Amino acid sequence: METAATAAPAWGFFSSFLLLAFGTLVAALLGAAHRLGLFYQLMHKVDTASIRHGGENVAAVLKAHGVRFLFTLVGGHISPLLVACEKLGIRVVDTRHEVTAVFAADAVARLTGTVGVAAVTAGPGLTNTVTAVKNAQIAQSPVLLLGGAASTLLQNRGALQAVDQMSLFRPLCKFCASVRRVRDIIPTLRAAMAAAQSGTPGPVFVELPLDVLYPYFMVQKEMVPAKPPKGLMSRAVHWYLANSLANLFAGAWEPQPEGPLPLDIPQASPQQVQRCVEILSRAKRPLMLIGSQALLPPTSADKLRVAVETLGIPCFLMGMARGLLGRNHPLHFRQNRRAALKKADVVVLAGTVCDFRLSYGRVFSRSSKIIVVNRDRKEMLINSDIFWKPQEAVQGDVGSFVVKLVEGLRGQMWASDWAEELRQADQQKEQTFREKALMPVAQHLNPVRVLQLVEDTLPDNSILVVDGGDFVGTAAYLVKPRGPLCWLDPACTPLGLFTPCAGCRRLAVWCLFGDGAFGYSLIEFDTFVRHKIPVMALIGNDAGWTQISREQVPSLGSNVACGLAYTDYHKAAQGLGAQGLLLSRENEDQVVKVLRDAQQQCQDGHPVVVNILIGRTDFRDGSIAM
């Protein structure tokens, strides 16, 4: 017979087990109640009579952040936010392809220093943007992509246009979030906008399911059956759906702060700046390579220009830094960069990266001291363990760093013969191009000569957008941006470029295309016509993917897939409602007149396409192939 002494431990174990099981059950119930939003709904009610919708919250945040333009291709998933933006005075520009909408937002971000915003529909609408989002990531552009999605309860259940969008964009974006309740729209968008601009800028993605954007009465109609259910299981499902609806809209319209959050921008330490000052103070042949990062806020382009002029260090300008010093500044050099880097004893990489453009670092002399400054540490040190090694690596804002260098090096002078040596090399290369411009071409126009005339004709108030291979590669040597933030590199379509200044006739937008690249952008002239965006596109039409052909034919013996035609792009543009002009051998002596006529039509508010039939050129040395 069991005694009380032996029964006590068994009972104690059993009671502890019951207590643990009860505690686990209570915790599970509390967790489930939290996930179902039951506690939140006790304090925050649902306004079932309201006709407001989540799109209004989206528009309010964008407005509070100073967003003036939203680029889109319309879709039912995102209609509420488009309508709300229009009502708040945000201009909605609808493109003909989703990739263009993001390219346009990218252009706005680069030119204004603010966040560019694009909104596209779910599924294919979002997958169409991937190339442009990757472009924004590489360009370090603060772009906010708003994407529609299937309703929260229908995801992973075969809904229309439902794909795993979050997995698609996580590798491309600094910040990804999917909004699950209307009340979360505002804080999520504020966090996304701050992330896009903090640290190293880049694209961010916010997924907005259909049911967080539409009004309560419409979501209720789709979500909860109108007739009362019968049966226990049906009632349980009905309660779950009704509760999900309530949780979706609980506290939806309560006031929340909508304005910008503080940004986190890294800065160089005083000790790092001082070490760089000491290195530069001993230099005899210093050189600066200034990249796009130098133009990021908070340092203005004017302040950066003054700092560079005060330093007096010869420099090469890359990316968005092109034009920083104007058209013909004595400190700015364009030709023979590789040779200059080999001779420099101190090189400052101010927001530039040792990627393929600098031959992964192999362009530097082994005796050169390299100072690199960049907001992104990984990018800053790329290939440094293989082909080069920095003397000083500074993680911080580039523009602020250059301004601080001036304070430490004020009064420092460098030998004038170094700049004079670089200038003579520049002039020799420019003389080579002048000689190439005089070479006869059998059937068409000499592209070097055409681009020289473009350079002579280009107004001082111009912004240049370039996209192409040979024609644009040659233009990079010959056509000079007139000022800072007046150059957009390849892969950006022209749409977003002019839109920040829509209606401002003081700016002239010149787009330089290769004929291959123009094939991607032709349809957007329908967009320019509809939205009255006057841009002028110059197409270097050599009837081929010549940059590829030049390598493919000698090495592989075939021109397959490289041939195009001397297509009448100007007539295609006319069919879309734009103005179209042709430049060919027949009007060779009227190039300047045609360019000025096109410019005048742009000033009158018309998009213009100038189709220029040219011979093939090698952008590396300016030689003419035909």
Side-chain angles (χ1 to χ4, degrees), residues 451 454-455 458 464 474-482 487 512:
L451 287 168
V454 169
E455 164 63 18
L458 193 69
L464 287 162
T474 307
Y477 288 108
L478 299 175
V479 183
K480 304 170 184 177
R482 291 348 192 205
W487 176 278
L512 306 183

Side-chain angles (χ1 to χ4, degrees), residues 165-185:
Q165 297 168 169
M166 299 298 290
S167 296
L168 190 64
F169 287 99
R170 282 193 185 100
L172 304 176
C173 297
K174 295 180 61 181
F175 175 100
C176 287
S178 182
V179 176
R180 292 306 192 209
R181 296 172 294 266
V182 179
R183 61 181 177 271
D184 295 333
I185 291 176

Side-chain angles (χ1 to χ4, degrees), residues 508-561:
V509 181
W510 290 49
C511 309
L512 306 183
F513 286 103
D515 55 329
F518 187 69
Y520 292 100
S521 300
L522 170 60
I523 191 61
E524 294 303 341
F525 274 81
D526 170 79
T527 306
F528 300 148
V529 170
R530 286 185 291 107
H531 288 275
K532 297 180 173 58
I533 301 174
V535 299
M536 186 165 83
L538 308 182
I539 307 168
N541 186 354
D542 62 2
W545 298 95
T546 309
Q547 194 174 35
I548 306 301
S549 177
R550 183 184 303 106
E551 305 292 339
Q552 180 174 307
V553 173
S555 61
L556 299 173
S558 172
N559 196 49
V560 61

Side-chain angles (χ1 to χ4, degrees), residues 65-69 71 104-117 141-143 197 295-301 320 463 484-486 488 496-501 507:
H65 283 74
V67 174
R68 296 173 56 203
F69 302 93
F71 302 95
D106 182 349
V108 168
R110 296 196 209 185
L111 293 174
T112 66
T114 60
V115 178
V117 184
S141 298
V143 170
Q197 300 171 89
L295 274 296
L296 291 173
T299 305
S300 68
M320 292 298 294
I463 296 178
L485 300 175
C486 290
L488 280 177
L497 171 62
F498 192 76
T499 306
C501 308
L507 290 177

Side-chain angles (χ1 to χ4, degrees), residues 83-166:
V83 173
C85 284
E86 181 187 41
K87 287 183 178 178
L88 286 187
I90 298 172
R91 183 173 176 185
V92 178
V93 181
D94 56 309
T95 67
R96 296 300 303 269
H97 196 289
E98 290 90 353
V99 74
T100 308
V102 179
F103 277 139
D106 182 349
V108 168
R110 296 196 209 185
L111 293 174
T112 66
T114 60
V115 178
V117 184
V120 301
T121 197
L126 276 161
T127 59
N128 280 346
T129 69
V130 169
T131 297
V133 174
K134 182 62 182 181
N135 183 76
Q137 183 189 46
I138 295 172
Q140 299 177 351
S141 298
V143 170
L144 169 61
L145 175 62
L146 302 173
S151 298
T152 51
L153 292 181
L154 292 180
Q155 293 185 8
N156 301 317
R157 296 180 182 275
L160 175 67
Q161 296 182 332
V163 299
D164 185 1
Q165 297 168 169
M166 299 298 290

